[in-house]
Amino acid sequence: MTMAENEWSIKARDLKRVYRRGSEEIPALDGVTLGIAKGEFVCFVGSSGSGKTTLVNLLGCLDNPTSGELELAGRTVFGSGKPLGERELTRVRREIFGYVFQNFHLIPTLTVEENVALPLAFYRKPGAEAEVERLLKMLGMGHRRHHLPGQISGGEMQRVAIARALVNRPEILLADEPTGNLDSKRAGEIGEVLQELNRSAGLTVVLVTHNPELAMLGGRRIEMRDGRAFEN
């Protein structure tokens, strides 16, 4: 299917990432080309060391490729043409993406509500403050808003982390092993939350997971092997 340029959230062409350790070169990503359309739910799977986290870090502008090109909505981020400068990259990370990781990265001395509101200290979209209350209610955490992270379960902490990732209304949610520290029941609940966000809000979701059941939730499944991407 041919898609208009502005219908692509992400386009990557021949992305490569080589890490250097002394004189040794370690290829982590070996020429990945793919596109992710607006509103898609894409799952990346693969064994440890296959390159999936490296790829998602590049797609989310958290790392720079050694070579290749990356576009967001038709705008060159890395590669030939006019790539974005560091100030523009910071804005992209802040406004375009929401990030969820395996480790929840909640601040233990802040309440649930304060953790979700933390991104608002750096950037505020109109009406963003109201998003805190709305997101906590939507994710079933309204009754925990005044609790500290140490007073809630792992599954609840990940819901808080998802709310925090969404508070600035990103266009794309990147979730890297978001259920890696959860039991199967809690993992299933987080998977359902991501699926509902994709279906009801039209949020583009990019998920990295080892969980085969979670990987079935997306509309596309891409397997990473030896730094290369293979559509299933």
Side-chain angles (χ1 to χ4, degrees):
M1 179 176 64
T2 302
M3 300 191 68
E5 192 71 22
N6 62 1
E7 290 181 315
W8 291 106
S9 285
I10 301 172
K11 289 182 76 173
R13 299 185 187 92
D14 199 27
L15 283 183
K16 296 182 180 180
R17 184 65 169 97
V18 177
Y19 295 101
R20 289 177 174 81
R21 185 170 55 199
S23 60
E24 182 183 11
E25 291 192 347
I26 304 168
L29 210 63
D30 187 17
V32 171
T33 296
L34 56 82
I36 297 174
K38 289 183 179 180
E40 276 201 290
F41 189 146
V42 180
C43 294
F44 288 94
V45 299
S47 60
S48 296
S50 62
K52 56 188 186 299
T53 291
T54 298
L55 175 58
V56 169
N57 283 343
L58 293 179
L59 298 182
C61 302
L62 296 174
D63 190 14
N64 296 352
T66 303
S67 62
E69 297 186 356
L70 177 68
E71 293 181 3
L72 293 176
R75 176 75 187 275
T76 299
V77 179
F78 302 115
S80 59
K82 189 178 180 182
L84 299 184
E86 188 54 43
R87 179 175 294 182
E88 292 171 302
L89 281 174
T90 298
R91 183 186 62 80
V92 164
R93 297 183 195 110
R94 188 179 58 203
E95 298 180 22
I96 304 300
F97 292 102
Y99 304 96
V100 181
F101 303 99
Q102 179 174 341
N103 296 318
F104 316 121
H105 299 303
L106 301 182
I107 296 178
T109 56
L110 298 183
T111 66
V112 162
E113 184 177 52
E114 290 168 338
N115 268 283
V116 174
L118 190 60
L120 303 181
F122 308 100
Y123 176 70
R124 294 170 182 258
K125 287 186 177 179
E129 290 87 347
E131 284 290 276
V132 176
E133 182 176 357
R134 186 185 73 83
L135 288 168
L136 287 175
K137 287 182 178 179
M138 182 185 74
L139 292 167
M141 293 299 297
H143 65 299
R144 297 290 204 184
R145 62 191 305 160
H146 299 304
H147 287 68
L148 296 173
Q151 298 172 317
I152 61 178
S153 70
E156 289 175 324
M157 283 193 281
Q158 194 59 290
R159 286 173 181 262
V160 175
I162 292 172
R164 182 184 57 194
L166 296 176
V167 74
N168 274 329
R169 302 175 185 170
E171 298 178 20
I172 304 167
L173 183 69
L174 298 181
D176 189 359
E177 294 288 1
T179 64
N181 287 329
L182 305 179
D183 59 37
S184 58
K185 180 181 178 182
R186 304 303 178 208
E189 292 174 353
I190 294 302
E192 290 174 1
V193 167
L194 296 177
Q195 191 173 52
E196 180 59 24
L197 287 168
N198 173 252
R199 287 177 175 175
S200 64
L203 185 68
T204 303
V205 177
V206 179
L207 171 67
V208 172
T209 183
H210 280 100
N211 186 323
E213 294 181 0
L214 211 61
M216 298 300 292
L217 296 178
R220 288 170 65 195
R221 184 176 180 273
I222 298 174
E223 183 177 356
M224 296 297 298
R225 297 197 301 269
D226 299 322
R228 296 186 177 184
F230 300 87
E231 293 266 1
N232 291 159

